[in-house]
Amino acid sequence: MVDYHAANQAYQYGPSSGGGNGAGGGGSMGDYMAQEDDWDRDLLLDPAWEKQQRKTFTAWCNSHLRKAGTQIENIDEDFRDGLKLMLLLEVISGERLPKPERGKMRVHKINNVNKALDFIASKGVKLVSIGAEEIVDGNAKMTLGMIWTIILRFAIQDISVEETSAKEGLLLWCQRKTAPYKNVNVQNFHISWKDGLAFNALIHRHRPELIEYDKLRKDDPVTNLNNAFEVAEKYLDIPKMLDAEDIVGTLRPDEKAIMTYVSCFYHAFSGAQKAETAANRICKVLAVNQENEHLMEDYERLASDLLEWIRRTIPWLEDRVPQKTIQEMQQKLEDFRDYRRVHKPPKVQEKCQLEINFNTLQTKLRLSNRPAFMPSEGRMVSDINNGWQHLEQAEKGYEEWLLNEIRRLERLDHLAEKFRQKASIHEAWTDGKEAMLKQRDYETATLSDIKALIRKHEAFESDLAAHQDRVEQIAAIAQELNELDYYDSHNVNTRCQKICDQWDNLGSLTHSRREALEKTEKQLETIDQLHLEYAKRAAPFNNWMESAMEDLQDMFIVHTIEEIEGLISAHDQFKSTLPDADREREAILAIHKEAQRIAESNHIKLSGSNPYTTVTPQIINSKWEKVQQLVPKRDHALLEEQSKQQSNEHLRRQFASQANMVGPWIQTKMEEIGRISIEMNGTLEDQLSHLKQYERSIVDYKPSLDLLEQQHQLIQEALIFDNKHTNYTMEHIRVGWEQLLTTIARTINEVENQILTRDAKGISQEQMQEFRASFNHFDKDHGGALGPEEFKACLISLGYDVENDRQGDAEFNRIMSVVDPNHSGLVTFQAFIDFMSRETTDTDTADQVIASFKVLAGDKNFITAEELRRELPPDQAEYCIARMAPYQGPDAAPGALDYKSFSTALYGESDL
């Protein structure tokens, strides 16, 4: 006998003011009964419907009364004395009713019917306007309404599918069972059943051997209906409650009659329903496992890609082999900037997302009682963090090394150019000097010529001494180029060595010529003092002009306003000496003019140029004019450099202004996020929304950071290496920005995991707030974790008996092993709510999954692939078949699979 005693819902059924049967509101199924009231009041008057209800309700009553060895013929006559009505209620309820009265009088009949109606009311059904008198008088509509109320209460009310009940639950059950069948679309309990295919589909779904469904035709409804009715009566013990001709011949079959008949199918297949429930549980578990495996595969793939990128990038960042030219080093610097701007930021996001995915996966595994995910060797989060740390260590100092190398090469180019200039000037000066010193003209010269040669040689020695400083400068520059590892040091050294060797040879030749001239010095009696004085004053003046021209053409490199202003000041000081130099020039030229005036006035024939020097007035005037031309050029170059340094200073201040705004903003956001993660304001969804608003504000702030990057690039392109206007460097800002993005993403993920935990475990918002409030109260340092003593105090405040006695210590140690399995000495909030949710809620276990498989297997210790494919969706059935080991028990059958070991593997050995 079917058990109908589980429900507590109330129904009412009675005549409406319109004269028809109806159902009134009341009880937990008020909405459903209110809908019944509308169509029942109007449509029960339809004779076709009344005929269908009489036949169906009579057959339904007889299906139960035959268990007591009796039946009814006329539904509105056979229940008038109340005896069979009371018997019917005893059979379907399994309970005893009060002893009936056996008298034949009207009062006896009314008393019996009232006993039946009282019993119905005791089951939570509120009967309105249905009285014993109407039943005793044989009122057909009242009697049918009463029987419908009994059918609703004892045959339909307890049907529940996916949290729906009664009519909607029965309809959903029909839809799910007939969904795979062509030409079947169950939307109601009237016209959806007219062609008979839905009845045949229900039978075929549960007993496919009884129906040849593919041979049925939609255009032959009478055959379809009779086939289903006959099979149901013959093999399923469901009496024929409907007539095929009545259903086909009615525009809209009676809904109550169809529902009553379909409910018999539901109860007949209740065993299959249990199997479906078991299959649903298994599908849910397998879906979780498949999703987790997909997340694990994604993690392994993303971790491998990120580690491979780190592995490829680190050697490039650790390569410190310098290039030979500034252009090559600047290209390396530009490549590094592309890496920072283009290549690294997506990898930062990938690393952050990988950590978030890992935490989410572990949370899902924990919530579904699965073992924790252990990535393959070398792909742990710690491995990725170690690789990332190695990457940042390699990155640190690489940019500084590039800039230092560029500065070194720039200085080398400057020194090399300076070396070439001074070497060229010196070589031009020494050109022909060796040949001049080797002349033996003094052997045939006159006394005056000899004296002139002696004076000339003295002037040359003076000139030679003046050039000593330049030779030393050339040697010093060559030495510095060698120390700075100049790439063309070989040619520099060769040229310097040639200059030094030539200088030594000039010294030796000068000494030899002086000795030769001194031998004839006694022959020298006179010398033209004016020429001599001219030569002595012209030579240093000429050297001064050459040095001035060197200085005016000298290259310079400065990095600050102060340095360029120092050069401008030195240049202004040099210009202030020009009037004195001009007067010296005029004095020297006056000596030359005086010598010519004396020679002319004394009719002395001069032998051409001044015998004591090669520096003629034309040379002096030419070089002086050159100096005059170089002064404004030097002015222009210094002013250009001053403008450049002023521009650089503007870039410094511009960058400092932006950095001094961005840096504190990042710090402020970090502190605000920290406060949000500690404080408890509103629901978790409110906190999540608040955090995402912060995340959007952070993303919206990215243009400010991009602007700062642009300003930083301008500074680097200008080769600016210091900035006294700010304490923030671009590296500090980048690190802070990356930490900010990572922190907000991790904080959002923590709240999402808390929501996931709350929803999966059925924790209410009030419980979550209580957990957060208790945790924050004992988290005195706001560090986001509790020490053992803080955690114990928190547990005591929540009602746990973990006081300092033997039993309390044992319980506390048990809890600590759960919340701190690694013995770190700290309990995070996530571990805390995981523990609290496990303490207060239930989840599926390996035992439950094994029990579900056992139902599908028909209580066998193994299951077959055929059974799995019949009961589970195709993808999940194949998933199980591929992973289940063959069953090795003594009762094993061909193709038997071991579902127990498979279920155990889903949860880990420790659960069993």
Side-chain angles (χ1 to χ4, degrees):
M1 182 180 293
V2 180
D3 181 8
Y4 297 107
H5 306 297
N8 292 314
Q9 297 171 337
Y11 289 79
Q12 63 182 30
Y13 193 102
S16 67
S17 58
N21 287 353
S28 60
M29 291 195 61
D31 293 339
Y32 166 65
M33 295 306 299
Q35 296 171 2
E36 293 292 312
D37 195 15
D38 294 336
W39 61 262
D40 195 55
R41 180 185 303 119
D42 299 328
L43 299 178
L44 188 58
L45 300 176
D46 187 331
W49 281 37
E50 185 172 341
K51 178 182 177 182
Q52 290 176 7
Q53 287 189 18
R54 280 178 177 276
K55 181 177 181 62
T56 301
F57 290 0
T58 299
W60 182 85
C61 291
N62 286 335
S63 70
H64 293 288
L65 287 173
R66 70 185 179 186
K67 299 172 186 176
T70 186
Q71 64 179 14
I72 62 173
E73 297 295 335
N74 189 321
I75 196 168
D76 51 352
E77 290 294 331
D78 293 348
F79 285 137
R80 291 179 63 182
D81 61 4
L83 295 177
K84 288 188 178 181
L85 177 60
M86 295 177 68
L87 182 60
L88 173 66
L89 291 172
E90 286 187 348
V91 172
I92 63 177
S93 68
E95 300 181 23
R96 298 290 295 177
L97 270 69
K99 187 175 181 180
E101 299 180 11
R102 295 296 179 178
K104 302 296 184 179
M105 298 176 64
R106 176 179 173 83
V107 66
H108 298 141
K109 297 178 181 180
I110 290 175
N111 289 339
N112 288 339
V113 173
N114 275 328
K115 290 176 182 180
L117 296 179
D118 290 342
F119 179 78
I120 296 173
S122 71
K123 295 304 178 182
V125 179
K126 183 180 293 185
L127 297 170
V128 179
S129 300
I130 295 181
E133 291 80 2
E134 287 87 351
I135 306 300
V136 172
D137 291 340
N139 185 318
K141 287 179 286 187
M142 291 296 104
T143 303
L144 290 174
M146 178 188 65
I147 298 302
W148 173 241
T149 300
I150 294 172
I151 293 172
L152 279 177
R153 172 59 183 83
F154 293 101
I156 299 178
Q157 177 180 327
D158 294 340
I159 297 174
S160 177
V161 178
E162 293 187 0
E163 300 182 2
T164 64
S165 60
K167 177 181 177 181
E168 294 303 323
L170 184 60
L171 184 63
L172 178 58
W173 178 80
C174 294
Q175 290 173 338
R176 289 180 56 183
K177 293 302 180 182
T178 61
Y181 293 88
K182 63 181 180 180
N183 296 327
V184 177
N185 183 16
V186 177
Q187 297 297 326
N188 49 57
F189 284 111
H190 37 81
I191 61 175
S192 294
W193 303 83
K194 286 189 67 174
D195 59 10
L197 292 177
F199 291 112
N200 284 277
L202 277 181
I203 298 172
H204 185 270
R205 177 64 183 270
H206 296 90
R207 297 287 300 276
E209 75 278 6
L210 300 179
I211 298 287
E212 293 184 286
Y213 185 84
D214 292 338
K215 294 185 178 180
L216 300 177
R217 293 168 44 198
K218 186 175 179 65
D219 59 356
D220 191 4
V222 173
T223 300
N224 297 339
L225 288 166
N226 284 327
N227 182 68
F229 296 161
E230 291 168 2
V231 169
E233 187 170 33
K234 182 176 181 179
Y235 296 102
L236 303 179
D237 197 26
I238 299 175
K240 185 176 180 182
M241 300 182 182
L242 302 169
D243 284 328
E245 291 76 9
D246 291 343
I247 294 177
V248 174
T250 303
L251 181 63
R252 173 171 157 173
D254 179 60
E255 188 169 22
K256 294 179 181 180
I258 300 292
M259 283 181 64
T260 301
Y261 187 50
V262 171
S263 69
C264 294
F265 283 89
Y266 176 86
H267 293 296
F269 297 134
S270 60
Q273 184 67 24
K274 293 179 182 178
E276 181 180 0
T277 301
N280 288 339
R281 176 182 289 277
I282 293 171
C283 289
K284 178 181 177 183
V285 171
L286 295 180
V288 170
N289 222 55
Q290 289 172 310
E291 181 183 0
N292 291 342
E293 286 184 359
H294 178 67
L295 292 174
M296 293 174 191
E297 292 169 359
D298 285 350
Y299 173 87
E300 292 281 345
R301 176 178 53 78
L302 292 174
S304 297
D305 292 346
L306 185 58
L307 287 169
E308 176 61 20
W309 178 80
I310 292 174
R311 185 191 65 77
R312 294 196 312 269
T313 306
I314 287 176
W316 175 66
L317 293 172
E318 290 179 341
D319 180 16
R320 298 294 200 274
V321 177
Q323 302 299 314
K324 292 182 179 181
T325 66
I326 292 178
Q327 291 74 21
E328 291 173 319
M329 290 304 296
Q330 284 177 335
Q331 183 58 50
K332 289 177 75 71
L333 179 61
E334 187 60 32
D335 292 342
F336 178 75
R337 287 171 177 162
D338 283 342
Y339 157 79
R340 291 304 301 268
R341 289 193 306 264
V342 178
H343 302 294
K344 186 182 178 185
K347 298 302 178 183
V348 173
Q349 295 177 1
E350 287 181 16
K351 177 177 177 291
C352 179
Q353 189 61 45
L354 194 66
E355 294 177 359
I356 290 173
N357 291 350
F358 181 84
N359 292 334
T360 300
L361 173 59
Q362 298 293 38
T363 298
K364 288 186 175 181
L365 291 173
R366 201 162 50 242
L367 294 176
S368 57
N369 287 339
R370 299 323 192 259
F373 170 54
M374 289 296 294
S376 58
E377 184 176 359
R379 294 186 178 89
M380 299 285 290
V381 173
S382 58
D383 296 320
I384 294 173
N385 288 333
N386 290 337
W388 193 265
Q389 185 177 8
H390 190 186
L391 175 75
E392 293 187 331
Q393 288 174 350
E395 181 180 319
K396 185 178 181 181
Y398 184 72
E399 185 177 28
E400 182 179 355
W401 172 77
L402 289 173
L403 294 173
N404 287 335
E405 277 300 309
I406 290 174
R407 288 196 292 268
R408 184 181 70 83
L409 291 174
E410 184 181 44
R411 173 157 179 76
L412 283 175
D413 283 355
H414 170 68
L415 289 174
E417 181 61 24
K418 193 170 185 177
F419 173 84
R420 287 190 288 270
Q421 285 185 2
K422 290 186 176 294
S424 296
I425 292 172
H426 177 78
E427 289 165 348
W429 177 82
T430 58
D431 184 38
K433 293 297 190 292
E434 289 184 356
M436 182 269 293
L437 291 172
K438 291 178 181 178
Q439 290 183 47
R440 304 181 68 84
D441 52 348
Y442 52 83
E443 295 179 351
T444 58
T446 62
L447 182 58
S448 59
D449 291 335
I450 291 300
K451 290 182 178 182
L453 290 175
I454 290 175
R455 301 296 184 272
K456 182 178 180 181
H457 191 69
E458 290 175 349
F460 173 77
E461 286 181 324
S462 177
D463 199 8
L464 186 68
H467 281 78
Q468 177 68 32
D469 183 62
R470 182 180 292 114
V471 174
E472 292 174 355
Q473 289 178 4
I474 290 171
I477 292 172
Q479 179 63 29
E480 188 171 1
L481 287 172
N482 277 287
E483 292 173 355
L484 294 176
D485 195 24
Y486 182 56
Y487 77 95
D488 199 23
S489 294
H490 174 73
N491 291 332
V492 170
N493 292 337
T494 301
R495 189 173 184 181
C496 181
Q497 188 61 47
K498 181 178 179 181
I499 289 172
C500 291
D501 292 345
Q502 185 186 40
W503 183 256
D504 292 338
N505 191 35
L506 284 176
S508 177
L509 291 173
T510 299
H511 180 70
S512 299
R513 184 169 177 81
R514 169 170 279 282
E515 287 182 346
L517 292 174
E518 286 178 349
K519 289 180 182 179
T520 59
E521 188 177 11
K522 57 186 176 182
Q523 303 171 4
L524 302 177
E525 295 179 351
T526 188
I527 191 169
D528 189 345
Q529 291 299 324
L530 290 174
H531 280 184
L532 181 58
E533 184 179 359
Y534 172 90
K536 287 183 177 181
R537 295 181 68 173
F541 185 71
N542 182 61
N543 288 335
W544 175 85
M545 287 191 295
E546 288 182 348
S547 296
M549 287 189 292
E550 273 189 61
D551 292 340
L552 290 171
Q553 296 179 86
D554 189 17
M555 296 176 63
F556 55 83
I557 296 177
V558 295
H559 299 288
T560 64
I561 288 289
E562 290 76 14
E563 291 177 356
I564 189 60
E565 288 178 350
L567 290 177
I568 291 174
S569 176
H571 183 62
D572 290 341
Q573 186 175 0
F574 166 77
K575 289 193 293 185
S576 67
T577 65
L578 291 179
D580 290 338
D582 191 38
R583 285 190 288 273
E584 175 66 10
R585 182 182 66 85
E586 293 291 344
I588 293 171
L589 295 177
I591 292 172
H592 178 72
K593 292 178 180 178
E594 180 63 16
Q596 288 183 330
R597 186 188 65 78
I598 293 173
E600 290 173 358
S601 62
N602 293 286
H603 307 288
I604 298 173
K605 185 177 180 181
L606 298 177
S607 57
S609 61
N610 192 325
Y612 306 119
T613 182
T614 59
V615 180
T616 65
Q618 292 78 14
I619 291 175
I620 290 175
N621 285 332
S622 175
K623 291 184 177 181
W624 177 255
E625 185 178 352
K626 182 67 173 176
V627 169
Q628 294 292 95
Q629 293 172 352
L630 290 174
V631 167
K633 290 183 179 180
R634 184 72 167 185
D635 285 334
H636 180 70
L638 291 172
L639 288 176
E640 279 189 342
E641 184 63 29
Q642 184 183 38
S643 175
K644 174 184 174 183
Q645 291 304 321
Q646 288 172 344
S647 173
N648 289 352
E649 183 66 11
H650 172 71
L651 291 176
R652 288 188 183 95
R653 293 181 181 275
Q654 179 178 265
F655 175 83
S657 174
Q658 183 73 2
N660 290 336
M661 177 178 64
V662 173
W665 183 89
I666 291 175
Q667 182 62 32
T668 299
K669 288 298 178 184
M670 288 288 288
E671 294 171 357
E672 290 175 352
I673 293 169
R675 285 198 300 272
I676 292 173
S677 64
I678 292 174
E679 296 172 354
M680 181 183 62
N681 294 322
T683 66
L684 288 177
E685 284 75 7
D686 293 338
Q687 296 176 36
L688 182 62
S689 176
H690 198 184
L691 285 169
K692 288 188 175 179
Q693 288 177 4
Y694 268 91
E695 185 179 40
R696 286 193 294 273
S697 69
I698 290 169
V699 172
D700 292 342
Y701 198 72
K702 182 63 164 58
S704 297
L705 194 75
D706 295 339
L707 175 60
L708 193 63
E709 284 282 8
Q710 294 171 6
Q711 294 170 349
H712 178 64
Q713 182 167 350
L714 292 175
I715 281 180
Q716 289 190 322
E717 289 172 354
L719 296 178
I720 300 172
F721 306 110
D722 59 336
N723 195 338
K724 64 183 179 180
H725 303 298
T726 181
N727 293 325
Y728 293 100
T729 66
M730 196 63 233
E731 186 64 28
H732 292 153
I733 297 294
R734 288 170 184 151
V735 171
W737 179 255
E738 291 175 2
Q739 290 177 346
L740 179 60
L741 291 177
T742 300
T743 299
I744 187 63
R746 285 175 177 167
T747 305
I748 288 174
N749 180 244
E750 289 175 0
V751 176
E752 289 175 338
N753 283 341
Q754 292 175 26
I755 293 174
L756 186 63
T757 300
R758 181 199 67 191
D759 295 343
K761 299 299 185 178
I763 302 173
S764 67
Q765 183 63 39
E766 292 72 17
Q767 286 177 307
M768 186 62 74
Q769 289 178 342
E770 180 185 355
F771 295 160
R772 171 55 81 179
S774 300
F775 188 89
N776 287 348
H777 176 76
F778 293 98
D779 184 14
K780 303 299 184 182
D781 60 354
H782 304 297
L786 301 180
E789 292 304 318
E790 293 173 328
F791 181 56
K792 178 180 284 188
C794 182
L795 290 176
I796 293 172
S797 73
L798 292 172
Y800 282 81
D801 185 11
V802 290
E803 297 290 349
N804 293 325
D805 55 31
R806 188 171 182 177
Q807 184 176 356
D809 289 343
E811 175 64 7
F812 180 70
N813 290 335
R814 179 191 73 80
I815 295 174
M816 282 300 293
S817 68
V818 173
V819 298
D820 184 22
N822 297 324
H823 306 292
S824 65
L826 293 174
V827 180
T828 64
F829 181 66
Q830 185 62 44
F832 174 66
I833 61 173
D834 285 346
F835 166 73
M836 294 305 297
S837 64
R838 282 196 297 271
E839 292 290 303
T840 57
T841 59
D842 294 327
T843 59
D844 58 270
T845 66
D847 286 337
Q848 292 172 330
V849 175
I850 289 174
S852 298
F853 273 117
K854 191 167 187 178
V855 171
L856 299 186
D859 286 336
K860 300 192 300 294
N861 291 324
F862 60 86
I863 194 167
T864 66
E866 180 182 355
E867 290 170 330
L868 287 171
R869 291 190 177 104
R870 185 177 69 239
E871 299 295 343
L872 299 180
D875 60 330
Q876 295 185 338
E878 298 306 324
Y879 177 85
C880 292
I881 294 169
R883 286 164 174 76
M884 281 187 183
Y887 177 69
Q888 303 295 338
D891 55 340
L897 299 174
D898 188 352
Y899 61 78
K900 290 184 179 179
S901 61
F902 172 73
S903 302
T904 302
L906 290 179
Y907 292 86
E909 297 291 343
S910 61
D911 278 10
L912 296 178

